[in-house]
Structures are given as C-alpha cells and as structure tokens.
Amino acid sequence: MSEFKKILVPVDFSDNSRKILSSAADLAQVFGAELSVVFVVQSFDDYSGFFVPHVPIAQFEEEMVRSAEDKMSSFIKESLPADTAVQTRVLAGDVAETIVEHAARTGIDLIVMGTHGYKGLERVLFGSVAEKVIKTARCPVLSINPYR
C-alpha cells in the first residue's frame, strides 16, 4: 500500500462534503497525513461570450473567492474537531482541472472526494467533477458516495 502523507479534500460546503471531510480526516489520522481542504470557485471565463453581467466578471469572481474564504473558515470549524491540523485554500478556475493541478503542484498523495450521483440530463449538463478528477489525477483518488 502506498504511503499517504498529503490528503486533499475538495469540498462544496454541502452536508455531503462535510461527511466526506470527516472520513478524510479519519484517514489522515490513520496515516499520519497532512489534511488539505480546497474549494474551487468556478471561473466564468468560458461563459463570458454568452451574457453580459452587470458586474465585471473579474470583480464578481473576486467577491466569490472572498465569500468562499469566509465560508471555508466556518465550514472547517463546524466540521472538524478544533485540534485537527488542516490547511485550507480557495481557488478559482475550472473545478476538476483546478483540483488536479493543485494536487500535482502541492505533492498530494491521495484525493478524497464525494460523488453527487447526477443522472440523466443533470449529468449531461453538469458533468461529473469526480469522474474528471479520477481520470486525470496523477495520484490515487478515493471516491465516496455520501448517500450510503
């Protein structure tokens, strides 16, 4: 079995990601690994040709990042015991690509993430972040179904 010294957990601040984070924290404790939690603000660069927002896109993304940083702080406090060592980051970009790039750049050994279980039209419209990460990550990815 590989040694996992750095575990990355992408979250979306949902109750399901709280469950995934708890499982990842347990794994980190078992392996004596560092726990890193990220939230990715979806970049709107790809959509800028479809609509003209009232606020410049860059300014809107900056506000989203600031808001997510505040949310990350409260999410971690509510989700993990106070003595849990954890690093947090809020990033912006394509969600799956940004997770994979961040993992490679920071030497992550394992990504632990949930599945949302989209089916049918939802899956066509939204795709699967977990599936894209599993297919493109350079490290192992543990995918957990939070509904079970």
Side-chain angles (χ1 to χ4, degrees):
M1 179 183 278
S2 298
E3 284 195 35
F4 301 120
K5 295 297 177 193
K6 289 184 164 187
I7 297 175
L8 177 65
V9 186
V11 298
D12 62 5
F13 306 133
S14 67
D15 288 337
N16 286 335
S17 64
R18 190 179 315 275
K19 293 175 189 175
I20 303 304
L21 179 56
S22 176
S23 296
D26 291 344
L27 277 175
Q29 187 173 19
V30 167
F31 287 106
E34 295 176 24
L35 187 61
S36 179
V37 180
V38 298
F39 174 82
V40 180
V41 174
Q42 175 66 50
S43 173
F44 289 97
D45 290 341
D46 294 339
Y47 305 105
S48 60
F50 295 113
F51 68 95
V52 180
H54 297 289
V55 181
I57 290 175
Q59 181 182 348
F60 180 69
E61 282 184 16
E62 289 171 9
E63 290 175 17
M64 293 286 295
V65 167
R66 279 193 300 275
S67 176
E69 287 169 343
D70 292 341
K71 181 68 178 169
M72 176 71 83
S73 178
S74 62
F75 182 78
I76 294 298
K77 286 178 186 173
E78 295 167 3
S79 303
L80 296 173
D83 62 343
T84 305
V86 60
Q87 297 175 357
T88 62
R89 293 283 310 266
V90 173
L91 306 167
D94 174 83
V95 178
E97 288 176 15
T98 302
I99 291 167
V100 170
E101 290 167 2
H102 178 74
R105 188 174 55 253
T106 59
I108 296 297
D109 300 308
L110 176 67
I111 300 171
V112 177
M113 62 189 306
T115 61
H116 281 84
Y118 288 134
K119 293 180 182 164
L121 184 58
E122 281 183 323
R123 184 176 173 101
V124 171
L125 293 174
F126 300 114
S128 169
V129 171
E131 181 180 3
K132 291 174 189 173
V133 171
I134 290 167
K135 287 181 176 181
T136 59
R138 296 181 192 156
C139 64
V141 179
L142 174 60
S143 175
I144 300 173
N145 181 346
Y147 301 111
R148 300 207 180 229

